[in-house]
Amino acid sequence: MSDDPRPAESHRALAGALRKWADDHESPPPVPGAEIRRRAVRRRRRRHASLAAVGASAVAAASVVLSMAFTGGKEGPHHSRPPAATLKAPGPPSAAGSVPAATVNLSRRELVVGGRVLPISAGSAKTPTPTGRMTVTGKYKVAALPTDMFGLERRYEMKAPWVIQLRTPQNRTNYIVAFTVDEKAPGNYDSTTGWIGLRRGDAEWLYRRLDRGAVVAVVGAAPTPTPVPATPAPVRTTMPSGPAS
């Protein structure tokens, strides 16, 4: 039998290491079923509390966003919701809101455009010129127009120069024309059937200035013609006849 103490020390070290390894890997003591259920209930309560807190935070954030959207981000207790917008169907284009390019004053027998005044002849009291804001819908250097427009009894078509076609507020057609039939009428008297007559040179100048879509405002009324006083009939005196000689 050997007297060397090293083998005994080695056995003791190995035994100590085995006990430590066993202690580290020792199974936990069993937990009773009631304790397991209590732990599960506590976990569920914690989850519900967390979900409720998250939901409350989301609702609060949404409320803040909606409040800023309706009040424009302003703070204060008296901000009310803005009224709902009223939708309006777009109507057909008209000359109601357009700035007139020319103005016709029937009372003065003149057409004003670009600071220039042009004498006109318009419709008489029996055939008045329609008033309102009219739109230029066509332009013709020469156009065939019915002669009854010019007050002629025989009805046929007659060529007229520098014709500007208008659309009236009543959706009817009217014209601005060079009044070549009677150059003395513009500025002096009204002798058309409702259309507007200009001197030939003025009609050409206006034709080149107004474009399609331009607005012409017609205002006033034809002046009442001054009645011509009737000439008194001459007084005829009868000489008394004397006695026959």
Side-chain angles (χ1 to χ4, degrees), residues 3-26:
D3 296 331
D4 190 355
R6 286 180 294 180
E9 292 178 359
S10 298
H11 288 303
R12 285 195 296 272
L14 179 61
L18 290 174
R19 282 196 300 272
K20 187 176 184 306
W21 182 86
D23 292 340
D24 293 340
H25 292 80
E26 184 179 4

Side-chain angles (χ1 to χ4, degrees), residues 142-191:
V142 178
L145 302 176
T147 54
D148 58 355
M149 285 181 53
F150 300 90
L152 301 178
E153 294 181 359
R154 292 183 58 190
R155 183 177 177 82
Y156 58 93
E157 288 188 343
M158 185 176 66
K159 291 183 178 180
W162 312 119
V163 177
I164 299 175
Q165 182 176 292
L166 303 174
R167 178 65 61 183
T168 71
Q170 296 77 24
N171 203 29
R172 301 180 62 182
T173 301
N174 203 10
Y175 300 94
I176 300 176
V177 183
F179 201 177
T180 56
V181 175
D182 188 359
E183 286 273 350
K184 296 179 181 179
N188 296 316
Y189 50 86
D190 298 309
S191 59

Side-chain angles (χ1 to χ4, degrees), residues 25-39:
H25 292 80
E26 184 179 4
S27 300
V31 180
E35 179 63 21
I36 294 175
R37 287 192 293 273
R38 284 194 295 271
R39 292 180 181 180

